[in-house]
Amino acid sequence: MLYNRSIHYKGWRILKLTMKAEKVMEREIETTPIEPLSPMSHMLSSPNFFIVITFGFKTRCNRSAFVDGINNTLINAPRFSSKMEINYKKKGEPVWIPVKLRVDDHIIVPDLEYSNIQNPDQFVEDYTSNIANIPMDMSKPLWEFHLLNMKTSKAESLAIVKIHHSIGDGMSLMSLLLACSRKISDPDALVSNTTATKKPADSMAWWLFVGFWFMIRVTFTTIVEFSKLMLTVCFLEDTKNPLMGNPSDGFQSWKVVHRIISFEDVKLIKDTMNMKVNDVLLGMTQAGLSRYLSSKYDGSTAEKKKILEKLRVRGAVAINLRPATKIEDLADMMAKGSKCRWGNFIGTVIFPLWVKSEKDPLEYIRRAKATMDRKKISLEAFFFYGIIKFTLKFFGGKAVEAFGKRIFGHTSLAFSNVKGPDEEISFFHHPISYIAGSALVGAQALNIHFISYVDKIVINLAVDTTTIQDPNRLCDDMVEALEIIKSATQGEIFHKTEV
């Protein structure tokens, strides 16, 4: 259409036809049901913001099973059958526009000589990293599946899924995965994601007193944490360190790596120290980063300790703001077209990381718990989301993008933890061995994500290799930190037993 208009020698008649075609297209778009992007999806609308998920399977991939499965489930979720129109009606307003699609166009089976691949694990790592460095094609629905019938040390075959972050956050995508999956123990049954809650048994007077004191703490803590958030937006940056990227250069070369650790080890630490799983993972991250950063500075142990004490290293931690979505509701949405609240509904808190040289490795998880407990009683994550919504309404999408760049550009890393299923499941009739995934978002050079599956937790790192040239070493330092914390925990158990 634009090409015809640019050829002037073709004459006035062709130009008139082009203008008519434009009007017809405008009428078609006007009658097409559209949906505006949510505030967080607005902030994540760049072609370079997406999530790469790797499914390891216990059997070989069957392409037909994926085509049939997606046709019966995912494409019935509105955002999987819509494309993003960035400049709708030339007003600069991104919207979702439903389109017709062929599932086959979104399933990629690369033509590979598998017998010539000497190191399958390294090949998969390189293949995933290559996908991570290709911007999303915004001219079609924003997802694709890559199927690799390649045996690795952890799986018989793999599906690597690339999904634009505007479609949904980690919790939304995990819920959708569960809605598409079935229990291996009962192939017709959906996976349950409901948890029982305990009801208080104390007197009403006691709970009124506790509630009043809690509101005072919430108010005070929110004021303090919100002030820190706004200072970060305005000017407060992390100290320059080997983990911090340079958002002004505009170039990132992504490398995606992961390691599998035992969920039982994490639970042992959690139960012994009376903490949450997230506290343990944050503590392990702090210990691993401390080990890694210490190795990046020259000097004696005492000199390195002084350097680390002067560093200000913070992470942007994603917080889910949505109440638990029932798997049954998502399954009905895909099967019957019913309505279900789904997508990006997350906030962010600025988490100061305890990057120090500690003799007691348990101090890392104690510090993580203390900081996270303070963040939990503040409303920082809700205020973050509210600011995005307010900015979008009154100042537009460009201001939202600028706000996001300030947050991500002034902190060193991003962190999230997504809880997966507790029992083994199959995805489109493929039994899952493990799930790995990384979100590539913002100007940070380091994105750390944890995903659990049955008795495993996968550490996922997405790093900018222009800043961090040795991501595998960083990953190994985190695994080793967990082993050290576990040994210290076992010492605590032994000491309590003796006492």
Side-chain angles (χ1 to χ4, degrees), residues 164-370:
H164 196 270
H165 210 319
S166 60
I167 289 180
D169 56 54
M171 286 301 300
S172 290
L173 294 175
M174 179 59 72
S175 298
L176 201 66
L177 157 67
L178 296 179
C180 295
S181 304
R182 296 295 182 268
K183 297 179 181 180
I184 289 181
S185 59
D186 185 356
D188 295 324
L190 286 167
V191 182
S192 174
N193 70 334
T194 57
T195 55
T197 57
K198 296 181 180 179
K199 295 182 179 180
D202 296 284
S203 68
M204 181 62 70
W206 167 252
W207 281 105
L208 286 173
F209 172 77
V210 171
F212 178 71
W213 173 241
F214 180 73
M215 287 304 299
I216 293 175
R217 292 179 62 202
V218 168
T219 302
F220 177 77
T221 308
T222 299
I223 292 172
V224 172
E225 300 303 327
F226 179 70
S227 299
K228 293 178 182 178
L229 173 66
M230 295 314 296
L231 287 174
T232 301
V233 173
C234 295
F235 61 85
L236 187 61
E237 296 184 61
D238 281 7
T239 312
K240 294 299 179 184
N241 63 76
L243 300 174
M244 197 169 185
N246 182 12
S248 61
D249 62 16
F251 176 78
Q252 289 175 302
S253 176
W254 291 108
K255 181 75 172 177
V256 179
V257 300
H258 70 262
R259 296 286 187 277
I260 297 178
I261 58 177
S262 169
F263 202 170
E264 294 305 315
D265 289 348
V266 174
K267 288 178 180 177
L268 172 68
I269 300 168
K270 172 187 79 76
D271 294 338
T272 304
M273 303 300 294
N274 192 26
M275 297 179 174
K276 303 290 186 183
V277 168
N278 202 54
D279 298 330
V280 178
L281 297 179
L282 277 167
M284 180 187 80
T285 299
Q286 293 184 144
L289 293 177
S290 298
R291 291 174 61 85
Y292 179 80
L293 287 174
S294 181
S295 69
K296 293 299 175 181
Y297 294 104
D298 297 325
S300 64
T301 302
E303 290 172 335
K304 291 182 178 182
K305 184 176 181 179
K306 289 181 180 179
I307 293 173
L308 292 184
E309 287 176 350
K310 294 178 181 179
L311 291 180
R312 178 172 57 243
V313 181
R314 298 171 301 163
V317 178
I319 304 293
N320 179 40
L321 303 180
R322 183 186 297 102
T325 303
K326 291 184 178 180
I327 299 302
E328 293 80 5
D329 293 341
L330 287 169
D332 287 344
M333 176 183 71
M334 293 184 290
K336 305 173 186 177
S338 59
K339 297 292 183 180
C340 180
R341 188 177 177 86
W342 188 84
N344 283 295
F345 190 38
I346 53 174
T348 298
V349 299
I350 307 301
F351 191 94
L353 293 157
W354 188 257
V355 180
K356 312 288 182 186
S357 294
E358 289 289 349
K359 291 183 179 179
D360 181 6
L362 298 180
E363 185 63 19
Y364 293 107
I365 57 174
R366 293 192 193 102
R367 293 279 182 172
K369 182 182 186 306

Side-chain angles (χ1 to χ4, degrees), residues 36 69 144-146 248 290 404 465 499:
E144 59 192 38
F145 279 70
H146 297 249
S248 61
S290 298
T465 55
V499 174

Side-chain angles (χ1 to χ4, degrees), residues 26-45:
E26 277 188 16
R27 285 197 298 270
E28 288 178 354
I29 291 175
E30 285 173 358
T31 58
T32 302
I34 62 171
E35 179 188 354
L37 267 67
S38 68
M40 286 303 298
S41 293
H42 223 297
M43 193 176 78
L44 301 170
S45 60

Side-chain angles (χ1 to χ4, degrees), residues 406-476:
R406 300 287 291 185
I407 288 289
F408 296 124
H410 288 178
T411 52
S412 297
L413 59 94
F415 177 97
S416 70
N417 170 32
V418 176
K419 184 182 183 300
D422 296 322
E423 55 190 318
E424 292 192 341
I425 61 174
S426 63
F427 186 54
F428 300 143
H429 308 293
H430 293 74
I432 294 177
S433 173
Y434 73 93
I435 307 171
S438 292
L440 294 97
V441 178
Q444 289 120 321
L446 174 60
N447 293 282
I448 302 175
H449 306 280
F450 292 90
I451 301 177
S452 67
Y453 176 69
V454 194
D455 59 348
K456 306 180 181 76
I457 293 181
V458 181
I459 307 170
N460 307 275
L461 301 187
V463 305
D464 179 3
T465 55
T466 60
T467 301
I468 303 171
Q469 288 83 29
D470 49 358
N472 284 294
R473 177 175 180 175
L474 175 55
C475 219
D476 291 338

Side-chain angles (χ1 to χ4, degrees), residues 55-68:
F55 296 100
F57 297 120
K58 295 182 178 181
T59 59
R60 289 178 61 80
C61 280
N62 184 325
R63 188 178 190 278
S64 299
F66 273 88
V67 172
D68 293 340

